[in-house]
Every structure is written in C-alpha cells, then in structure tokens.
Amino acid sequence: MADEIWKCRRCGEELTVKKVVFDYLNMNFSENLLRCPKCGRVMIPRDLAVGKMVEVETQLEEK
Ligand SMILES: [Zn+2]
C-alpha cells in the first residue's frame, strides 16, 4: 500500500506528500497528506478523516 502511486482525478498529476494543517473547531492539527502539485487539491483518506474527527470530539468531551 505504501508504494501505491496516487494521481489527481482532475488533472492526472502524480500526488506528492505534503504537510497540511487543519483548522477544526479552533483546534489545529497537521498531517502529511497527498496533494496535487498542479491544482492543489488534497486527498484525505476516508479513514484518516473519520479517525481525526472522532479523536477531536473525544478530546472535547473529556474537558
Ligand atoms: Zn490536480
């Protein structure tokens, strides 16, 4: 899976790994994600997106 090459669905450009900073509910967290160097589109794996949201919500509930 790690060797899999992802390409942008829109322009077919090979995606590159880039650190992306999220801003969610006044909380910032960064993650290395695949990004298209041509159009700037970021591809977020579904499991990562869901995992992060659950993680953030859990932290909020604990406060
Ligand atoms: Zn693209």
Side-chain angles (χ1 to χ4, degrees):
M1 284 295 281
D3 295 335
E4 195 169 352
I5 295 173
W6 294 86
K7 288 189 176 181
C8 179
R9 282 187 194 173
R10 188 189 292 171
C11 48
E13 202 75 14
E14 203 173 296
L15 301 181
T16 57
V17 176
K18 185 178 173 68
K19 197 168 194 178
V20 178
V21 179
F22 290 88
D23 189 358
Y24 179 75
L25 293 176
N26 297 324
M27 294 178 70
N28 287 304
F29 52 90
S30 58
E31 196 76 41
N32 286 319
L33 295 177
L34 290 166
R35 183 176 177 276
C36 175
K38 197 171 181 181
C39 67
R41 231 177 124 170
V42 177
M43 200 191 75
I44 302 176
R46 190 183 175 86
D47 56 342
L48 171 68
V50 173
K52 277 293 176 191
M53 292 307 130
V54 171
E55 198 175 292
V56 170
E57 284 175 10
T58 303
Q59 287 174 6
L60 288 174
E61 284 174 8
E62 285 172 354
K63 281 184 180 174

